[in-house]
Amino acid sequence: MPGRPMNSQPLALAAICLAALMFGLEISSVPVILAVLDQELHADFQGLQWIMNAYTIGCTTVLMATGTLADRYGRRRVFLLSVLAFGLASLGCGWASSTPVLIAGRLAQGIAGGAMFICSVAILSHQFPDGRERGRAFAVWGVVAGIGLGFGPMAGSAIVWAASWHWVFLVHVPLSAATLALILAGVAESRDPQAREHRLDWAGLVTLTLAVLGFTGFLMQGESLGWKSPATLGLAALAAASLAAFIVVERSQRRPMFDFSVFAVRDFSGAILACVGMNCSYWPFMIYLPFYFSAGLGMDTTATGLMLLVYTVPFLVMPPIAQWLLLRYRATWVIPSGLFIIGSGFLLMWGGSLLSRLGGWTILPGALVAGIGLGLTTTPATSMTTASVPPHRAGMASGMDVSARLITLVIHIAVMGLVLVAGIKASLHGLWGAALEPGQLQALAQRLAGGDLAGAQQLLVGQAIANTSAAPLQEVVIQGFGWVMLYGGWAAWLTAVLSFAVLRNSPTRRGLQPCGAGMH
């Protein structure tokens, strides 16, 4: 292939895998340090939510645009720029001295990370044209991406233990530099000769971004602003109007980035429901689970990271088993079964939380089961979204798949936050409801949801509340998490039923080949 250096394949694969590793680490290593950020940056619960959600929102905004820009101006060039931007954004996050600055840095990280991810997949397909080589390359890429996602919590806790929270972000600076060197040495430039004919869908991008931002802001800020306040109602109106405009824009496009007609394909719709199920249960809960161990059980960051391995590692070993099941059974059974197992894991965690006095291990069986269910669901769902449509529409289907995952994740990070605060608030009301005003009860619940036990104790002391030791507050946090576990379990079971209802009349599809692993 012209312009490709000799023996460049290993270097190109190393560059793409390093990018995948950074992308996965930045998703899963940050939740474990949120309690530290709460203490050092004095971030409130909503600030911590925005720190996590800013990254995902950033990914969502560039998802569909990156492919068009890379095809037109060169995939290698856009990949280089996105890796460079990711390194600079990570540097800004590491130097952040306040919550707003860190949120802005995370948004920039997400924009760069989303572009980096999309480019890496396109380059992987181009750099390895042979089917056998491509299969091996995608397998290696999937393993490395899974390692980043699965071991991110342990990496984050180890970095905090050895250095400081800043290095959870700063570690990406040398990794980005190494990736840039590998790109320059091994990645060949490629473009789509027909790309000039494909215009960037600015109207779709803007309306979709505003809809996601409006709805997320409504969910995350509604309680503090007041659900009936003009600002909250304005966010809701913005979200609704933008979503309606997005649908109108996409239905009027000759080449829409979201072709709603593919939802008539049962296999595609069933797979998208599986993506929704995973991202309204397993993945958003990973953001909050560290608080269960730290605020609810009093564990330090290192112990929390070790506990989270039981939740994240199982899905790494399940894709081969999921593929084996697909060879023998219809995806109609495999996908809903995976979602059902995720839901069962959440309900087992809820049961374990009722026995929390015996120790933190009581929710680990449920965490293990949920991780197994995720591993059984991810590969079939990812494969089916592209396999269920004609080859020339596979790129669009893949984009809709990833968009559905990201948008659902953004929304359910906010929804789970609401459920957690509501659960804690209900438990607090049973203890001290008569002695606290509604506003004080809400403030106390948000402090506890964000892991700020010391701040909650100070608030109680200020109100002359007796028995302000950590023990009853930790019990309140655990009871609040019980609500979240029930929500995640029922949500996964509901999507399991819906996906089975959609898939049961679909054609039999055996032996679908996985095209990637992980949340995104």
Side-chain angles (χ1 to χ4, degrees), residues 83-100:
V83 172
L84 176 61
F86 189 84
L88 293 175
S90 299
L91 185 64
C93 289
W95 283 350
S97 57
S98 67
T99 301

Side-chain angles (χ1 to χ4, degrees), residues 24-33 148-149 152-153 155-157 168 172 286:
L25 282 174
E26 201 52 33
I27 292 171
S28 62
S29 64
V30 175
V32 79
I33 69 167
L149 286 167
S157 61
V168 173
H172 295 294
M286 191 172 73

